[in-house]
Amino acid sequence: EPEVTQTPSHQVTQMGQEVILRCVPISNHLYFYWYRQILGQKVEFLVSFYNNEISEKSEIFDDQFSVERPDGSNFTLKIRSTKLEDSAMYFCASSGLAVKETQYFGPGTRLLVL
Amino acid sequence: GIQVEQSPPDLILQEGANSTLRCNFSDSVNNLQWFHQNPWGQLINLFYIPSGTKQNGRLSATTVATERYSLLYISSSQTTDSGVYFCAGVQGAQKLVFGQGTRLTINP
C-alpha cells in the first residue's frame, strides 16, 4: 500500500538555526499538507499546497516558515530561524482531492530545538 | 472555523471490554476522519466517514452528519488498542481540524 514518508525521523537543532523537513507524498496525490503537534497537545494545521502554490495557511505559518516542491516527488517544510516553541512533531500529509478523500499522514519528524 | 470536541478525554478499560468514543463538531463538515496515534507518535488512519457507518474488524464508526457527531466503537479491546484516538473534520476546502483526543488505556 502506498504511504507518505518523512525524513529525518528525529532532528535536534540549536535555536536560530534553519531546518528543512522532507516528505515524499503518495505519488498520484495532488494536495499536500503540513501539520504539527506540540507534545501532549492536539494536531494543528500549518499549510496546504496545491498546483505548486500555497492554497491555505494557518496563523502559525508565519514568515519563518516556507514550503516547496522542488521536484516531482519531494515536499519540504523549511523553518528559517528556529525557536524553542517550534519543538514539536511535524506531520506531512497528502490527498488525491482536497475535500472528498482521505488525508494520509506520514510517520512524522520529531523536532527538538535547544 | 469549526470546533471539534471529543469525549471522554481519558478512558481506562480491562482487556476484552467494549468502548465508545464520541466526537462532536460545531458545524457541518465535508470530511470526517478517525485516527489512532500509537505510542511512537504515528497517526494511523482508521476511518474516512463523513456520514453513515463503516466497520473494520473490531472497530466501527458511525457519523450522523445532520446531528454533527461521530462515534467510534471498539469491541473486545486489546492492549494494542491503547493510545490516543483523534477525530478530525474538514470545513471548506482543505484543512483538517482535530479534536483534543481520547486517551485509551487497555489493561491486561
Side-chain angles (χ1 to χ4, degrees):
Chain A
E1 182 177 328
E3 59 183 18
V4 178
T5 59
Q6 291 185 241
T7 55
S9 58
H10 295 78
Q11 182 150 1
V12 181
T13 190
Q14 295 292 322
M15 189 170 56
Q17 294 296 305
E18 174 183 287
V19 296
I20 297 176
L21 310 183
R22 292 182 166 79
C23 167
V24 179
I26 294 173
S27 62
N28 62 346
H29 281 183
L30 303 175
Y31 281 86
F32 315 114
Y33 313 85
W34 284 101
Y35 293 82
R36 79 171 187 190
Q37 184 183 31
I38 294 171
L39 187 63
Q41 299 186 19
K42 66 179 180 180
V43 180
E44 301 173 290
F45 169 82
L46 290 178
V47 65
S48 59
F49 192 85
Y50 170 73
N51 199 24
N52 283 320
E53 61 182 22
I54 291 173
S55 48
E56 188 174 358
K57 61 183 181 180
S58 71
E59 293 176 352
I60 303 167
F61 194 88
D62 61 21
D63 292 343
Q64 291 299 311
F65 292 89
S66 63
V67 290
E68 191 178 29
R69 188 156 164 83
D71 53 41
S73 60
N74 291 285
F75 180 51
T76 62
L77 174 69
K78 181 191 290 186
I79 309 175
R80 288 188 181 83
S81 178
T82 50
K83 306 171 189 169
L84 296 177
E85 54 265 35
D86 293 327
S87 295
M89 178 79 100
Y90 288 80
F91 293 102
C92 174
S94 69
S95 67
L97 295 171
V99 175
K100 293 189 181 298
E101 290 195 14
T102 303
Q103 292 186 23
Y104 292 90
F105 281 68
T109 293
R110 194 175 296 278
L111 176 67
L112 178 61
V113 182
L114 301 176
Chain B
I2 62 167
Q3 304 295 317
V4 180
E5 294 185 3
Q6 293 186 243
S7 59
D10 292 279
L11 187 57
I12 300 174
L13 298 172
Q14 290 299 119
E15 201 167 23
N18 300 329
S19 58
T20 301
L21 283 58
R22 186 176 179 105
C23 174
N24 291 328
F25 32 97
S26 61
D27 203 347
S28 58
V29 293
N30 297 318
N31 174 4
L32 193 288
Q33 292 185 228
W34 282 98
F35 298 88
H36 175 213
Q37 187 165 42
N38 64 22
W40 295 272
Q42 296 176 329
L43 285 170
I44 310 300
N45 273 309
L46 297 178
F47 294 102
Y48 164 81
I49 187 164
S51 64
T53 297
K54 289 186 178 179
Q55 180 155 7
N56 184 4
R58 296 182 295 104
L59 274 62
S60 64
T62 294
T63 296
V64 183
T66 53
E67 297 187 23
R68 300 175 186 168
Y69 73 88
S70 184
L71 302 173
L72 178 70
Y73 306 97
I74 305 173
S75 64
S76 304
S77 301
Q78 301 174 359
T79 55
T80 51
D81 294 330
S82 295
V84 182
Y85 289 79
F86 289 102
C87 68
V90 171
Q91 188 181 47
Q94 296 152 356
K95 68 178 184 183
L96 278 172
V97 177
F98 282 74
Q100 293 282 6
T102 292
R103 181 174 299 278
L104 178 65
T105 302
I106 304 297
N107 291 321

